[in-house]
Amino acid sequence: MSAPTPPGRRAVRGVILDFYGTLVRLIEPLPPSHRSLFLRRGLAEAADKWGDQWAVGPREGEEHAAHSVSQQTYHSWELERLRSRALSCGVPASVAGPLAVELDRAMKDLRLAPFGDVPAALAGLRARGLTVAVCSNWYWDLDGALADVGLAGLVDVAVTSARAGARKPHPLIYRTVLERCGLRPEQALFVGDMWEPDVAGPLAHGMRAVHLWRPDRVVVGAAPPLPDGAARIPSLAALSALL
């Protein structure tokens, strides 16, 4: 028999999970580096100014609802951000547009695979009658990415920042996924590997949170202390014990 829900606290009705680093990981062959695309065009100085290729998209917590009205509008905004940044790094105007297209393609040319514990964990959540959702700072087609890694049939709701109009930890994306799931914040448990988007943000929005701290995690550094309403697990196999 399961333990009763403590007075004043509603039982969890849905589990919302992050995507990259929580459900899936990057595998080889890796996409080309942004630097290599610059150097192919003889733009070594601009490549040095460009810097970290993973820091060229929208910022964490950024709201961009005006650009998320359609896939075409959002993609045009993605390309223009890259083109504008390339120009600021000294790329000639005649090259910046084609380079932006190449950079955009490289950023999305990702080979992904689910962590080994993911299919059984998601199936177990659904077997308990819980709504299973994915909420990710991701590109437009999160549904396609889930299908590509064989997880589409294990997920009820998928919400991506590109479509929601804001990136975690902005409240808009949490509100969107909760509305899609038909849940109030206190009925949801958010699970992810990143602290601000997946733990601090959901807690501030009234959800409970689980910090996934895998031994082979992408995140570096020490794990922050756990506040009230949060737990920490080493794998998704340990999630069922919290429910």
Side-chain angles (χ1 to χ4, degrees):
M1 178 180 298
S2 61
T5 303
R9 180 164 233 192
R10 295 185 181 275
V12 170
R13 289 184 48 212
V15 177
I16 305 168
L17 303 105
D18 174 51
F19 184 54
Y20 182 73
T22 298
L23 300 182
V24 300
R25 57 189 175 87
L26 191 64
I27 60 173
E28 294 183 341
L30 302 179
S33 70
H34 286 190
R35 184 173 182 80
S36 70
L37 300 181
F38 278 81
L39 295 181
R40 187 185 303 165
R41 295 173 177 270
L43 300 169
E45 186 176 344
D48 292 337
K49 293 178 180 178
W50 184 266
D52 181 8
Q53 71 187 76
W54 298 111
V56 299
R59 303 179 307 277
E60 279 193 359
E62 183 174 341
E63 185 271 329
H64 46 74
H67 304 289
S68 296
V69 294
S70 70
Q71 183 173 7
Q72 181 178 355
T73 301
Y74 187 79
H75 190 222
S76 296
W77 180 62
E78 289 179 300
L79 293 176
E80 180 55 29
R81 286 177 67 100
L82 294 171
R83 191 187 75 86
S84 296
R85 177 167 174 169
L87 289 171
S88 72
C89 292
V91 175
S94 61
V95 177
L99 178 60
V101 172
E102 279 194 276
L103 292 167
D104 178 72
R105 187 180 302 120
M107 290 168 63
K108 298 170 183 175
D109 184 23
L110 305 175
R111 305 295 190 275
L112 302 171
F115 288 99
D117 57 1
V118 169
L122 298 187
L125 295 175
R126 289 168 65 90
R128 299 172 77 136
L130 298 170
T131 298
V132 176
V134 175
C135 179
S136 177
N137 286 346
W138 198 253
Y139 309 113
W140 190 268
D141 192 13
L142 179 57
D143 294 303
L146 286 165
D148 288 344
V149 295
L151 299 179
L154 296 172
V155 174
D156 300 303
V157 172
V159 171
T160 173
S161 57
R163 296 195 188 202
R167 291 173 66 84
K168 298 179 293 183
H170 194 285
L172 175 58
I173 191 169
Y174 302 130
R175 187 163 63 246
T176 301
V177 70
L178 289 169
E179 289 174 354
R180 291 275 309 277
C181 292
L183 299 173
R184 293 185 294 275
E186 66 271 17
Q187 297 173 320
L189 183 70
F190 203 106
V191 183
D193 66 313
M194 300 294 287
W195 185 256
E196 290 295 332
D198 302 329
V199 181
L203 288 173
H205 201 72
M207 292 180 271
R208 281 163 273 181
V210 174
H211 189 206
L212 179 61
W213 195 246
R214 293 183 182 279
D216 56 347
R217 60 189 173 274
V218 175
V219 180
V220 298
L226 286 171
D228 290 342
R232 181 171 289 126
I233 54 176
S235 74
L236 287 183
L239 183 59
S240 62
L242 301 179
L243 298 170

